[in-house]
mmCIF file of all heavy atoms in Angstrom:
data_model
loop_
_atom_site.group_PDB
_atom_site.id
_atom_site.type_symbol
_atom_site.label_atom_id
_atom_site.label_comp_id
_atom_site.label_asym_id
_atom_site.label_seq_id
_atom_site.Cartn_x
_atom_site.Cartn_y
_atom_site.Cartn_z
ATOM 1 N N ASP A 55 2.500 22.628 -13.509
ATOM 2 C CA ASP A 55 1.296 22.088 -14.187
ATOM 3 C C ASP A 55 1.779 21.388 -15.440
ATOM 4 O O ASP A 55 2.079 22.047 -16.447
ATOM 5 C CB ASP A 55 0.343 23.239 -14.493
ATOM 6 C CG ASP A 55 -0.959 22.777 -15.121
ATOM 7 O OD1 ASP A 55 -0.971 21.740 -15.799
ATOM 8 O OD2 ASP A 55 -1.975 23.511 -14.973
ATOM 9 N N GLY A 56 1.812 20.076 -15.375
ATOM 10 C CA GLY A 56 2.310 19.276 -16.509
ATOM 11 C C GLY A 56 1.467 19.407 -17.758
ATOM 12 O O GLY A 56 1.939 19.307 -18.874
ATOM 13 N N GLU A 57 0.154 19.597 -17.594
ATOM 14 C CA GLU A 57 -0.730 19.711 -18.757
ATOM 15 C C GLU A 57 -0.525 21.053 -19.463
ATOM 16 O O GLU A 57 -0.470 21.092 -20.697
ATOM 17 C CB GLU A 57 -2.183 19.595 -18.306
ATOM 18 C CG GLU A 57 -2.575 18.182 -17.885
ATOM 19 C CD GLU A 57 -4.017 18.117 -17.447
ATOM 20 O OE1 GLU A 57 -4.817 19.029 -17.749
ATOM 21 O OE2 GLU A 57 -4.361 17.128 -16.777
ATOM 22 N N GLN A 58 -0.419 22.159 -18.690
ATOM 23 C CA GLN A 58 -0.237 23.485 -19.279
ATOM 24 C C GLN A 58 1.227 23.795 -19.551
ATOM 25 O O GLN A 58 1.512 24.803 -20.185
ATOM 26 C CB GLN A 58 -0.831 24.515 -18.343
ATOM 27 C CG GLN A 58 -2.323 24.411 -18.137
ATOM 28 C CD GLN A 58 -3.093 24.682 -19.400
ATOM 29 O OE1 GLN A 58 -2.811 25.604 -20.177
ATOM 30 N NE2 GLN A 58 -4.121 23.860 -19.649
ATOM 31 N N LYS A 59 2.113 22.935 -19.054
ATOM 32 C CA LYS A 59 3.554 23.182 -19.175
ATOM 33 C C LYS A 59 3.926 24.576 -18.662
ATOM 34 O O LYS A 59 4.658 25.345 -19.281
ATOM 35 C CB LYS A 59 4.035 23.028 -20.634
ATOM 36 C CG LYS A 59 3.689 21.678 -21.228
ATOM 37 C CD LYS A 59 4.557 20.597 -20.631
ATOM 38 C CE LYS A 59 4.346 19.286 -21.368
ATOM 39 N NZ LYS A 59 4.031 18.178 -20.517
ATOM 40 N N SER A 60 3.446 24.891 -17.453
ATOM 41 C CA SER A 60 3.767 26.166 -16.833
ATOM 42 C C SER A 60 3.751 26.021 -15.311
ATOM 43 O O SER A 60 3.178 25.067 -14.772
ATOM 44 C CB SER A 60 2.786 27.226 -17.275
ATOM 45 O OG SER A 60 1.476 26.923 -16.781
ATOM 46 N N SER A 61 4.379 26.972 -14.652
ATOM 47 C CA SER A 61 4.393 26.927 -13.200
ATOM 48 C C SER A 61 3.349 27.891 -12.648
ATOM 49 O O SER A 61 3.090 28.943 -13.191
ATOM 50 C CB SER A 61 5.786 27.270 -12.671
ATOM 51 O OG SER A 61 6.156 28.574 -13.036
ATOM 52 N N LEU A 62 2.822 27.453 -11.524
ATOM 53 C CA LEU A 62 1.888 28.263 -10.766
ATOM 54 C C LEU A 62 2.598 28.660 -9.487
ATOM 55 O O LEU A 62 3.352 27.891 -8.929
ATOM 56 C CB LEU A 62 0.646 27.457 -10.435
ATOM 57 C CG LEU A 62 -0.048 26.741 -11.603
ATOM 58 C CD1 LEU A 62 -1.081 25.764 -11.109
ATOM 59 C CD2 LEU A 62 -0.638 27.751 -12.552
ATOM 60 N N LYS A 63 2.382 29.866 -9.027
ATOM 61 C CA LYS A 63 3.112 30.345 -7.851
ATOM 62 C C LYS A 63 2.203 30.874 -6.812
ATOM 63 O O LYS A 63 1.191 31.530 -7.107
ATOM 64 C CB LYS A 63 4.119 31.446 -8.272
ATOM 65 C CG LYS A 63 5.209 30.897 -9.166
ATOM 66 C CD LYS A 63 5.817 31.998 -9.994
ATOM 67 C CE LYS A 63 6.693 31.470 -11.086
ATOM 68 N NZ LYS A 63 5.992 30.854 -12.166
ATOM 69 N N ILE A 64 2.525 30.605 -5.550
ATOM 70 C CA ILE A 64 1.845 31.151 -4.401
ATOM 71 C C ILE A 64 2.921 31.838 -3.565
ATOM 72 O O ILE A 64 3.818 31.181 -3.077
ATOM 73 C CB ILE A 64 1.124 30.055 -3.577
ATOM 74 C CG1 ILE A 64 0.090 29.339 -4.418
ATOM 75 C CG2 ILE A 64 0.495 30.654 -2.326
ATOM 76 C CD1 ILE A 64 -0.490 28.093 -3.777
ATOM 77 N N ASN A 65 2.848 33.141 -3.446
ATOM 78 C CA ASN A 65 3.801 33.928 -2.696
ATOM 79 C C ASN A 65 3.054 34.787 -1.698
ATOM 80 O O ASN A 65 2.343 35.689 -2.079
ATOM 81 C CB ASN A 65 4.655 34.808 -3.624
ATOM 82 C CG ASN A 65 5.420 34.007 -4.661
ATOM 83 O OD1 ASN A 65 6.094 33.072 -4.294
ATOM 84 N ND2 ASN A 65 5.296 34.362 -5.889
ATOM 85 N N LEU A 66 3.207 34.431 -0.432
ATOM 86 C CA LEU A 66 2.498 35.164 0.628
ATOM 87 C C LEU A 66 3.458 35.509 1.747
ATOM 88 O O LEU A 66 4.350 34.724 2.066
ATOM 89 C CB LEU A 66 1.356 34.309 1.209
ATOM 90 C CG LEU A 66 0.239 33.888 0.248
ATOM 91 C CD1 LEU A 66 -0.664 32.894 0.935
ATOM 92 C CD2 LEU A 66 -0.549 35.113 -0.239
ATOM 93 N N TRP A 67 3.279 36.674 2.341
ATOM 94 C CA TRP A 67 4.024 37.014 3.547
ATOM 95 C C TRP A 67 3.175 37.880 4.443
ATOM 96 O O TRP A 67 2.273 38.583 3.970
ATOM 97 C CB TRP A 67 5.344 37.727 3.212
ATOM 98 C CG TRP A 67 5.224 38.921 2.347
ATOM 99 C CD1 TRP A 67 5.089 40.225 2.763
ATOM 100 C CD2 TRP A 67 5.236 38.971 0.924
ATOM 101 N NE1 TRP A 67 5.026 41.063 1.689
ATOM 102 C CE2 TRP A 67 5.088 40.306 0.523
ATOM 103 C CE3 TRP A 67 5.312 37.976 -0.065
ATOM 104 C CZ2 TRP A 67 5.058 40.716 -0.797
ATOM 105 C CZ3 TRP A 67 5.279 38.392 -1.411
ATOM 106 C CH2 TRP A 67 5.161 39.738 -1.739
ATOM 107 N N THR A 68 3.439 37.796 5.723
ATOM 108 C CA THR A 68 2.631 38.513 6.703
ATOM 109 C C THR A 68 3.176 39.946 6.834
ATOM 110 O O THR A 68 4.276 40.269 6.379
ATOM 111 C CB THR A 68 2.679 37.851 8.086
ATOM 112 O OG1 THR A 68 4.023 37.926 8.582
ATOM 113 C CG2 THR A 68 2.207 36.414 8.032
ATOM 114 N N LYS A 69 2.372 40.754 7.519
ATOM 115 C CA LYS A 69 2.770 42.142 7.785
ATOM 116 C C LYS A 69 4.010 42.201 8.677
ATOM 117 O O LYS A 69 4.734 43.182 8.661
ATOM 118 C CB LYS A 69 1.618 42.892 8.458
ATOM 119 C CG LYS A 69 0.376 42.997 7.666
ATOM 120 C CD LYS A 69 -0.741 43.601 8.503
ATOM 121 C CE LYS A 69 -2.060 43.564 7.786
ATOM 122 N NZ LYS A 69 -3.133 44.167 8.593
ATOM 123 N N GLU A 70 4.249 41.140 9.422
ATOM 124 C CA GLU A 70 5.385 41.087 10.336
ATOM 125 C C GLU A 70 6.692 40.707 9.667
ATOM 126 O O GLU A 70 7.755 40.819 10.265
ATOM 127 C CB GLU A 70 5.102 40.102 11.471
ATOM 128 C CG GLU A 70 3.980 40.533 12.362
ATOM 129 C CD GLU A 70 3.688 39.504 13.446
ATOM 130 O OE1 GLU A 70 4.399 38.479 13.542
ATOM 131 O OE2 GLU A 70 2.721 39.724 14.200
ATOM 132 N N MET A 71 6.651 40.250 8.427
ATOM 133 C CA MET A 71 7.877 39.881 7.704
ATOM 134 C C MET A 71 8.628 41.162 7.359
ATOM 135 O O MET A 71 8.202 41.970 6.579
ATOM 136 C CB MET A 71 7.519 39.108 6.441
ATOM 137 C CG MET A 71 8.682 38.612 5.637
ATOM 138 S SD MET A 71 9.421 37.217 6.440
ATOM 139 C CE MET A 71 10.471 36.589 5.147
ATOM 140 N N MET A 72 9.801 41.291 7.971
ATOM 141 C CA MET A 72 10.614 42.482 7.755
ATOM 142 C C MET A 72 11.389 42.351 6.422
ATOM 143 O O MET A 72 11.656 41.244 5.963
ATOM 144 C CB MET A 72 11.640 42.638 8.894
ATOM 145 C CG MET A 72 10.980 42.856 10.246
ATOM 146 S SD MET A 72 10.263 44.499 10.410
ATOM 147 C CE MET A 72 8.506 44.142 10.268
ATOM 148 N N ALA A 73 11.755 43.485 5.856
ATOM 149 C CA ALA A 73 12.466 43.513 4.588
ATOM 150 C C ALA A 73 13.778 42.732 4.659
ATOM 151 O O ALA A 73 14.150 41.983 3.752
ATOM 152 C CB ALA A 73 12.722 44.940 4.125
ATOM 153 N N GLU A 74 14.518 42.862 5.784
ATOM 154 C CA GLU A 74 15.779 42.120 5.939
ATOM 155 C C GLU A 74 15.522 40.626 5.957
ATOM 156 O O GLU A 74 16.339 39.876 5.415
ATOM 157 C CB GLU A 74 16.497 42.571 7.210
ATOM 158 C CG GLU A 74 17.124 43.946 7.113
ATOM 159 C CD GLU A 74 18.106 44.072 5.966
ATOM 160 O OE1 GLU A 74 18.969 43.207 5.787
ATOM 161 O OE2 GLU A 74 17.973 45.060 5.195
ATOM 162 N N GLU A 75 14.450 40.178 6.583
ATOM 163 C CA GLU A 75 14.118 38.748 6.585
ATOM 164 C C GLU A 75 13.793 38.293 5.156
ATOM 165 O O GLU A 75 14.182 37.198 4.752
ATOM 166 C CB GLU A 75 12.919 38.484 7.494
ATOM 167 C CG GLU A 75 13.219 38.664 8.973
ATOM 168 C CD GLU A 75 11.987 38.485 9.825
ATOM 169 O OE1 GLU A 75 11.001 39.221 9.605
ATOM 170 O OE2 GLU A 75 11.983 37.606 10.675
#
Side-chain angles (χ1 to χ4, degrees):
D55 182 332
E57 289 180 17
Q58 297 294 319
K59 304 289 188 232
S60 65
S61 62
L62 309 169
K63 293 158 193 71
I64 300 170
N65 301 309
L66 299 171
W67 54 93
T68 66
K69 298 173 187 180
E70 294 178 2
M71 182 74 167
M72 298 288 105
E74 287 304 311
E75 291 175 302

